[in-house]
Amino acid sequence: MLDPDGDTHLYVQISEIIRSRIVHGLSPGDPVASEAELQKEFGVARTTARRALRVLREEGLIYTAPGSGAFVGEPGQAPRGARRVPLYRQIAGDIEQRIRAGQLQPRRPIPGESALVQEYEVARETVRRAMALLREQGWIYTVPARGSFVSPMESWPQL
């Protein structure tokens, strides 16, 4: 339980809680809660969660793998399972499937950034990366001040 009125910064309190979890049950290579998960669990700002993870990383208790998350131990200390597909690629893949299935029609809008942030419970930047990937692949296009739309079928990537 966090003590917001105490003399210890919240990020220090969170890092102590995670440190305790590591000592009492997590093994090298096990995943550690993400910034977003810590933010949700403790009701803190993302910067607070980020600082808590940074403390543990600087102590050598955890390491981060870009696009994969944070893990117990030093990099390469423990074997990791198969690499997860980054969230933005999962979101892009899901939207692509919705386009292919006809749930999202050509030249019609796709859900907005805010709606996708809520739907997938991710950071705005994650949605932006997914949208950029879909745009790059030709699945969607963006009209300034209007939003993003499903590309005409002739613009879709060749299978």
Side-chain angles (χ1 to χ4, degrees):
M1 185 75 157
L2 295 183
D3 180 9
D5 298 321
D7 62 350
T8 305
H9 291 286
L10 293 176
Y11 76 92
V12 173
Q13 293 179 50
I14 294 170
S15 67
E16 289 172 359
I17 291 169
I18 297 168
R19 185 180 299 106
S20 175
R21 291 176 184 172
I22 291 170
V23 170
H24 295 101
L26 294 177
S27 301
D30 283 348
V32 177
S34 68
E35 289 175 10
E37 291 167 338
L38 292 175
Q39 186 180 4
K40 193 173 188 177
E41 178 180 352
F42 295 107
V44 296
R46 187 168 283 258
T47 54
T48 303
R50 183 174 293 140
R51 288 178 80 180
L53 291 175
R54 184 181 315 131
V55 167
L56 297 169
R57 194 170 44 252
E58 289 172 355
E59 293 174 3
L61 291 173
I62 67 169
Y63 67 94
T64 54
S68 296
F71 301 89
V72 175
E74 296 285 332
Q77 182 180 17
R80 286 196 9 236
R83 186 164 214 188
R84 281 186 349 196
V85 174
L87 271 175
Y88 78 95
R89 287 192 176 273
Q90 291 177 16
I91 294 167
D94 185 45
I95 293 171
E96 177 187 329
Q97 290 303 317
R98 289 159 68 180
I99 292 170
R100 287 178 189 265
Q103 295 168 348
L104 297 172
Q105 295 290 314
R107 299 188 181 276
R108 294 289 172 244
I110 65 168
E113 192 175 275
S114 295
L116 293 171
V117 164
Q118 285 186 314
E119 180 180 344
Y120 291 100
E121 297 180 349
V122 296
R124 195 167 291 277
E125 183 59 30
T126 304
V127 168
R128 287 180 180 156
R129 287 183 75 184
M131 301 292 275
L133 179 61
L134 290 165
R135 205 174 296 111
E136 180 182 307
Q137 293 173 339
W139 289 108
I140 66 170
Y141 64 97
T142 301
V143 176
R146 298 274 300 152
S148 293
F149 298 80
V150 175
S151 294
M153 288 180 82
E154 58 270 11
S155 299
W156 293 2
Q158 297 300 315
L159 300 176

